[in-house]
Amino acid sequence: MLDIKEDVSLAEFSTFHVGGAAKFAVAVQTTDDLTEAIAFAAAKKISWRVLGGASNLLVNDDGYKGLIIWYRNKDLVIDAELGFIEVGAGAITAVVAGACARAGLTGFEWAAGVPGQ
Ligand SMILES: Cc1cc2nc3c(=O)[nH]c(=O)nc-3n(C[C@H](O)[C@H](O)[C@H](O)COP(=O)(O)OP(=O)(O)OC[C@H]3O[C@@H](n4cnc5c(N)ncnc54)[C@H](O)[C@@H]3O)c2cc1C
């Protein structure tokens, strides 16, 4: 069962701490939960938007009339031998950069200090 909250201040969750509230907001971990959240928005005939760390975003003072979805899947699979990385869309960029470096994979070091998911 999703824990969908109503009238959630987005300023509280964004890097720049500005803007109004979301009519609805929910954090999800799995694709099934994501599907359920989108179905909720469809049933209410409202728009939806996925957000991460809200570090690349300025929220309007009028807020958002739809459903904000925080996708929190932080799964991280690295196969250093194959040079393969599979990352959940909720993974923290800096954590992924650190994990790549520890596995001996180079090229993503620049992202270590970038905020966001
Ligand atoms: C101080 C500072 C320094 C920065 N430096 C850099 C830098 O050096 N290089 C750089 O590239 N960027 C930089 N950025 C920008 C920012 O950190 C990145 O763009 C980051 O990837 C944003 O991630 P977020 O999770 O905060 O995204 P959000 O701000 O939450 O979202 C940004 C956009 O992506 C969409 N989105 C977010 N998550 C998902 C998801 N899981 N699925 C689908 N859509 C999604 C949102 O709907 C929105 O449109 C910087 C930002 C700050 C504040």
Side-chain angles (χ1 to χ4, degrees):
M1 185 71 180
L2 295 182
D3 183 18
I4 297 177
K5 304 205 182 308
E6 208 166 340
D7 295 323
V8 176
S9 163
L10 292 174
E12 201 179 311
F13 294 99
S14 74
T15 298
F16 294 101
H17 297 293
V18 295
K23 179 68 184 151
F24 297 102
V26 65
V28 301
Q29 295 278 352
T30 65
T31 47
D32 282 350
D33 287 349
L34 182 62
T35 304
E36 196 179 327
I38 291 169
F40 170 87
K44 289 220 170 275
K45 295 189 172 36
I46 55 174
S47 60
W48 56 272
R49 185 164 198 131
V50 179
L51 287 190
S55 54
N56 210 33
L57 188 80
L58 290 174
V59 179
N60 192 303
D61 284 343
D62 293 337
Y64 182 66
K65 310 289 178 226
L67 170 69
I68 292 294
I69 302 172
W70 286 293
Y71 191 52
R72 298 296 192 214
N73 184 328
K74 293 178 169 52
D75 291 350
L76 175 60
V77 177
I78 297 182
D79 186 328
E81 227 166 87
L82 291 176
F84 172 88
I85 310 169
E86 189 176 83
V87 188
I92 308 291
T93 311
V95 172
V96 177
C100 288
R102 279 191 297 281
L105 297 176
T106 61
F108 199 50
E109 300 85 348
W110 63 270
V114 175
Q117 296 181 352

